Amino acid sequence: PEIVIRRDVRERVQAVAPFFVQARPVAPVLAADSLYWVVHLYSAGDHFPLSQHYEVDRVERSYLRHAAVAAVNARSGRVLLVPSPA
């Protein structure tokens, strides 16, 4: 038996990668015989020089770029970060 402190997918990802902004949807993905919960992660900033400002999720941003995908194993809770190919 294991004690799990963070059971929520978003909390687990936030603990591993607090510097990324998480996308809203959390999607289930089946790979082989395992279930993963997948969240897209973005690098974001509110002060990027000479850029247009947009409101994203009620927060004003001037920089938003897809950075990685976080996959949380539904059984073990392990978090895997896969960097964006771009």
Side-chain angles (χ1 to χ4, degrees):
E2 294 180 20
I3 296 175
V4 179
I5 296 172
R6 294 180 183 89
R7 296 188 57 86
D8 184 52
V9 172
R10 292 191 179 281
E11 287 180 21
R12 292 184 82 79
V13 172
Q14 182 69 26
V16 173
F19 36 83
F20 288 128
V21 175
Q22 298 180 20
R24 190 172 295 256
V26 176
V29 173
L30 285 173
D33 62 345
S34 298
L35 173 66
Y36 294 91
W37 295 101
V38 175
V39 180
H40 289 268
L41 303 174
Y42 295 88
S43 56
D46 17 336
H47 302 294
F48 196 73
L50 303 173
S51 65
Q52 185 173 355
H53 291 248
Y54 296 98
E55 188 172 323
V56 179
D57 201 20
R58 295 185 296 272
V59 177
E60 190 173 300
R61 304 274 187 202
S62 63
Y63 180 80
L64 190 69
R65 183 175 178 152
H66 188 265
V69 174
V72 180
N73 187 305
R75 184 178 166 277
S76 67
R78 284 197 171 149
V79 179
L80 173 68
L81 296 177
V82 181
S84 178

